[in-house]
Amino acid sequence: MNAFVADKALTPAEADGSGEPETLLRVDNVSLAFGGVKAITDISFDIRKGEIRAIIGPNGAGKTSMLNVINGFYHPQEGTITWRGTVRRKMKPYEAASQGIARTFQNVALFKGMTTLDNIMSGRSLKMHRNFFWQVLWRGPAEREEIEHRKKVEEIIDFLEIQAIRKTPVGRLPYGLQKRVELGRALAMEPELLLLDEPMAGMNLEEKEDMSRFIIDVNQEFGTTIALIEHDMGVVMDLSDRVVVLDYGKKIADGPPEEVQASQAVIDAYLGVSH
Ligand SMILES: Nc1ncnc2c1ncn2[C@@H]1O[C@H](COP(=O)(O)OP(=O)(O)OP(=O)(O)O)[C@@H](O)[C@H]1O
Ligand SMILES: [Mg+2]
C-alpha cells in the first residue's frame, strides 16, 4: 500500500467505502526514556474507532507511560501519534482532552473535598464557553449554559447509578465508588477516546462486575472508543476486542485476546522467564 492510499484509509468516508475498520489513533515507533530508564522502546500499534483495546503487561512494562504519551502528558523522544488521520504536534493534556481524549488515573485523582456532583461537573469545564466575566456581565447565556451542563451531569449520574452519593464528598466514599466517580468525570467530557488506567484495581468481585458492565455500556451506548489498562486477565478476555502486550517497554504481542493469551512470549513474560 502506498503512502497516499494509507493516508486516505484513515478518513471516515474512505473507511466507510472500503469497509475497512477506521483507525482513530496510531502510535508509530514511539520511544520514551526518563534519563537512563527506557520506559517505552519503539512501540507501534493502533486503536480502531469503536473498539475496546486492552493494554496489558507486567508491572513496570510501560503501560501508564504509554497512556501518558497518548494524552499528551509525556512527549516521546521518538515516534509519532496520529489522531484522526493527522500527525499530532506536541500538545498538553488539556489540548488532547479538547480534541476528545479523556482519561482516568491509576491512582484516583479527584477533588476529595468536593461532592460527586461537583467532581463530575469539573469534567465539563472544557465544554463551558461562558466564563466568569460573562456571568458578571450578562447572566442569561451563562445560566442557560450552566443548566445544560447540569442536565448532562445528571444523565451521567443516572447512567452510573450513583444518585445516592451525588452530594457526598468523594473523600468519604469507598475506593470502588471513587473509581466510578472518576469514570463519570471522564464521561462528562463526552470523549471520543477514553483511556482507563486500571479502572478495576483494588475492587472486589462485585465492584469489578459493575465496572465491567459500565465500560461495555459506555462503549455500546455512547459509541466511545476505549483503551484500557488492566491486570485481571479474565476482565481483559471478556471486555476487549484486541490486546497489545508490553514487557520491559517493548511490544511483545498484539491481537485478539485468545490469540494473545496463547502466545508463548506473553506466557513467558507473565511467568517472569528471563529476557
Ligand atoms: N516519571 C517517571 N520518572 C522516571 N521513571 C519513570 C517515570 N514514569 C515511569 N517511569 C519508569 O518507566 C517504567 C515504566 O513505568 P510505567 O508506570 O509506565 O509502567 P506500568 O506498566 O504502568 O506499571 P504498573 O503495572 O506497575 O502500573 C518503569 O521502570 C518506571 O519506573
Ligand atoms: Mg501503570
Side-chain angles (χ1 to χ4, degrees):
M1 198 190 280
N2 66 36
F4 178 66
V5 173
D7 273 343
K8 279 187 72 185
L10 293 173
T11 68
E14 194 69 17
D16 286 350
S18 65
E20 277 178 33
E22 184 188 337
T23 302
L24 188 59
L25 180 127
R26 225 176 54 216
V27 174
D28 285 302
N29 308 104
V30 162
S31 294
L32 173 77
F34 300 99
V37 179
K38 287 182 174 176
I40 299 175
T41 307
D42 196 26
I43 287 186
S44 304
F45 66 95
D46 64 359
I47 300 175
R48 294 173 185 160
K49 192 170 170 56
E51 77 173 336
I52 300 183
R53 183 72 147 131
I55 302 172
I56 68 168
N59 291 119
K63 306 179 296 296
T64 297
S65 301
M66 195 66 244
L67 282 203
N68 282 331
V69 167
I70 293 174
N71 94 316
F73 194 69
Y74 293 146
H75 298 131
Q77 282 88 4
E78 284 174 50
T80 56
I81 303 290
T82 305
W83 171 242
R84 291 206 211 103
T86 306
V87 174
R88 214 170 67 177
R89 59 175 183 81
K90 277 187 187 172
M91 60 166 64
K92 300 254 165 34
Y94 75 86
E95 293 172 291
S98 70
Q99 291 197 4
I101 302 177
R103 73 172 291 182
T104 64
F105 294 85
Q106 189 163 350
N107 302 307
V108 174
L110 292 166
F111 301 108
K112 303 273 167 159
M114 278 165 47
T115 64
T116 294
L117 184 68
D118 288 341
N119 267 285
I120 297 179
M121 194 70 183
S122 75
R124 296 298 291 175
S125 56
L126 276 167
K127 298 211 169 276
M128 292 193 190
H129 302 296
R130 320 266 174 198
N131 60 21
F132 175 74
F133 295 102
W134 260 99
Q135 299 198 20
V136 172
L137 286 173
W138 188 23
R139 287 201 57 84
E143 263 178 28
R144 267 199 299 281
E145 205 187 303
E146 167 104 10
I147 289 165
E148 267 172 45
H149 287 302
R150 294 232 167 246
K151 205 170 140 229
K152 184 74 207 167
V153 167
E154 292 299 342
E155 277 170 26
I156 290 166
I157 287 175
D158 287 347
F159 174 80
L160 293 174
E161 297 164 14
I162 47 178
Q163 299 90 337
I165 56 157
R166 52 204 293 292
K167 295 280 176 165
T168 311
V170 296
R172 288 206 218 132
L173 297 173
Y175 186 70
L177 274 178
Q178 292 192 16
K179 291 283 232 191
R180 208 186 290 184
V181 174
E182 203 189 17
L183 173 63
R185 185 178 57 185
L187 290 178
M189 296 179 202
E190 297 178 80
E192 198 170 353
L193 174 63
L194 178 60
L195 309 172
L196 304 174
D197 195 347
E198 301 198 23
M200 286 163 238
M203 287 188 173
N204 63 34
L205 189 62
E206 197 189 334
E207 289 171 328
K208 277 188 187 184
E209 282 170 2
D210 284 345
M211 184 54 96
S212 295
R213 184 166 51 86
F214 289 127
I215 290 171
I216 290 171
D217 286 352
V218 167
N219 178 249
Q220 291 183 349
E221 288 182 28
F222 307 149
T224 311
T225 306
I226 295 172
L228 161 90
I229 296 175
E230 184 49 53
H231 279 291
D232 186 322
M233 277 303 206
V235 168
V236 170
M237 295 299 137
D238 282 350
L239 291 190
S240 57
D241 296 300
R242 293 189 302 156
V243 185
V244 56
V245 191
L246 309 185
D247 189 28
Y248 287 100
K250 297 193 174 129
K251 184 171 101 167
I252 59 166
D254 188 353
E258 38 322 322
E259 196 180 295
V260 156
Q261 200 179 26
S263 144
Q264 193 56 48
V266 175
I267 294 165
D268 289 350
Y270 276 92
L271 291 176
V273 172
S274 63
H275 298 266

